[in-house]
Amino acid sequence: YYTVAANVNGCITPLDSALVRMGVTPDAVDDLQYEVATNEILVDFNVLLNDIYVPDDYTLTITNPQPGLINHGNDLYSFEAGNSNTNVNFIYELCSEACPNLCDIGIVNIAVRERMCNTVPNIITPNGDDLNDFLMIPCLDIEPYPLNHLVIYNQWGDRVYEAMPYSNDPGKAWRGELFGEPGRGLPDATYFYIFKATPDDKGLRGFIEVFR
């Protein structure tokens, strides 16, 4: 801020001020990690979270709006996915408001995939006969879902197993053991699980019976 006063024939005018802003070129960093299931909504994401800019000196413009993209204001967007697997890309321009010629371009990619993870088996028989000895989640053999998350609880709500990510690999899969540790077999009983294929997944909930 600069302030100025004038002396006119010995009369001092009131102080006035002016803001002189130095323009800074923003850095719009691409967002390539978003995922949503077909026919579902990716809710309230902010493309500016990983960008570098002056918080009170910027404008954000979507340069190629896509069907399903909803602007909620305050830099929050939602995206309503269609019914087919695809990748949706839209481009935004981040500029200095004080110097509109200082701009950068960012790309947002949203992967739309059919929700394959809708079934988790409800019984395992870990008796060492190589038949149904461990928990196998079918969708993980179709799509790896590297950020999947599985938690299993006993009937009292105590966590007895957790994996992030869970794997169907026989050497890593759950065999009804406390926290997956060999030799710490849990008693035959009904256990309860929460499984999320992705962090934004609403999650599957159900039960698994351990029966030896």
Side-chain angles (χ1 to χ4, degrees):
Y1 281 94
Y2 290 85
T3 58
V4 62
N7 186 332
V8 181
N9 298 324
C11 181
I12 306 299
T13 65
L15 285 174
D16 201 354
S17 62
L19 171 65
V20 178
R21 184 187 294 275
M22 296 185 64
V24 177
T25 302
D27 183 11
V29 181
D30 294 343
D31 298 276
L32 307 176
Q33 78 282 8
Y34 291 114
E35 294 183 357
V36 64
T38 53
N39 299 311
E40 294 193 8
I41 298 176
L42 179 63
V43 179
D44 291 349
F45 61 92
N46 187 338
V47 299
L48 297 181
L49 290 180
N50 59 347
D51 294 346
I52 300 173
Y53 60 97
V54 178
D56 63 345
D57 177 37
Y58 75 94
T59 59
L60 173 64
T61 306
I62 304 298
T63 62
N64 66 330
Q66 299 293 319
L69 184 64
I70 304 167
N71 185 351
H72 297 292
N74 297 320
D75 305 321
L76 291 178
Y77 295 84
S78 293
F79 177 74
E80 186 172 357
N83 59 5
S84 60
N85 294 345
T86 186
N87 281 285
V88 175
N89 291 285
F90 65 88
I91 300 171
Y92 67 95
E93 186 176 47
L94 184 61
C95 297
S96 164
E97 186 175 27
C99 299
N101 60 314
L102 299 179
C103 297
D104 196 19
I105 298 295
I107 299 174
V108 178
N109 179 79
I110 303 174
V112 180
R113 298 189 299 186
E114 184 178 359
R115 187 183 298 281
M116 301 297 296
C117 285
N118 53 17
T119 302
V120 174
N122 58 16
I123 187 170
I124 61 172
T125 58
N127 55 13
D129 64 357
D130 293 329
L131 297 175
N132 200 34
D133 275 345
F134 58 87
L135 178 65
M136 178 176 288
I137 301 177
C139 69
L140 297 182
D141 287 336
I142 301 172
E143 185 80 34
Y145 292 102
L147 299 181
N148 80 72
H149 186 195
L150 173 68
V151 185
I152 298 176
Y153 302 89
N154 63 18
Q155 58 185 318
W156 296 284
D158 300 317
R159 182 170 53 90
V160 297
Y161 180 79
E162 184 171 13
M164 188 173 64
Y166 184 76
S167 171
N168 287 338
D169 183 332
K172 300 178 181 179
W174 188 58
R175 295 176 177 265
E177 296 166 324
L178 182 62
F179 297 116
E181 298 178 12
R184 301 187 67 185
L186 294 164
D188 289 5
T190 299
Y191 298 85
F192 302 89
Y193 69 83
I194 300 175
F195 175 71
K196 291 186 175 184
T198 69
D200 297 324
D201 197 339
K202 294 179 180 178
L204 293 174
R205 299 170 184 263
F207 68 91
I208 304 171
E209 291 188 40
V210 174
F211 181 71
R212 292 179 175 82

